[in-house]
Amino acid sequence: MKMKGSMMTPEQETRERIMEAAFELFSTNGYDKVSMNDIVDRSGISKGGIFHYFSSKYELGRDSLIWWASNLMEPQFQKMMEKDLPPRELLCSFVEMMVELFESDSGFTKYFWGIFDEAIRKEEDNSIWVDFMDQYVGIIASQYELMG
């Protein structure tokens, strides 16, 4: 899965390779069950190389989730919007897509809630999570506004 845009620097490619490997592991096994050594093995990047790009497992988990959402979820939602569905139907499709994801993939669900649990305990980067959630809450809110 490539980042939005066309050309990436070698640093961006390495960072993305790490996030993709981490996302695959986190979403398969859950955030708490993955070690940095697992990510080293999956990505082929040394632990020092990973820590060059991410200061902690938490930062890697957080950034991987945001990377996934912007590179996979946003395009899927954009495809839904291109169908020119009525707001109620678009909203229902979006919610169904999210519910299906959480119901069908227990590893992803454990990852999602594991990273949010750690974010709550850390209390150090709330603005990143607020921006992330605002993006998706904004999508839902706009559809409710269109419904009247």
Side-chain angles (χ1 to χ4, degrees), residues 76-85 90 139 143:
Q76 286 183 1
F77 187 72
Q78 290 301 322
K79 285 180 188 176
M80 283 183 202
M81 291 186 70
E82 289 169 6
K83 293 179 182 178
D84 203 27
L85 300 170
L90 182 64
I139 290 168
Q143 297 310 304

Side-chain angles (χ1 to χ4, degrees), residues 107-121:
F108 176 80
T109 303
K110 289 176 187 172
Y111 169 33
F112 186 85
W113 293 119
I115 197 71
F116 273 106
D117 179 57
E118 188 160 340
I120 290 166
R121 285 185 278 123

Side-chain angles (χ1 to χ4, degrees), residues 61-120:
R62 180 199 66 207
D63 289 0
S64 296
L65 181 63
I66 293 169
W67 166 82
W68 169 82
S70 67
N71 285 285
L72 183 67
M73 293 305 294
E74 277 184 44
Q76 286 183 1
F77 187 72
Q78 290 301 322
K79 285 180 188 176
M80 283 183 202
M81 291 186 70
E82 289 169 6
K83 293 179 182 178
D84 203 27
L85 300 170
R88 182 177 307 279
E89 195 173 328
L90 182 64
L91 184 59
C92 287
S93 294
F94 179 74
V95 171
E96 284 173 10
M97 178 178 70
M98 296 307 297
V99 167
E100 185 176 305
L101 174 65
F102 281 101
E103 285 181 343
S104 67
D105 194 339
S106 65
F108 176 80
T109 303
K110 289 176 187 172
Y111 169 33
F112 186 85
W113 293 119
I115 197 71
F116 273 106
D117 179 57
E118 188 160 340
I120 290 166

Side-chain angles (χ1 to χ4, degrees), residues 17-28:
R17 185 167 138 202
I18 295 166
M19 286 190 296
E20 188 168 8
F23 182 83
E24 288 171 4
L25 288 166
F26 291 144
S27 63
T28 300

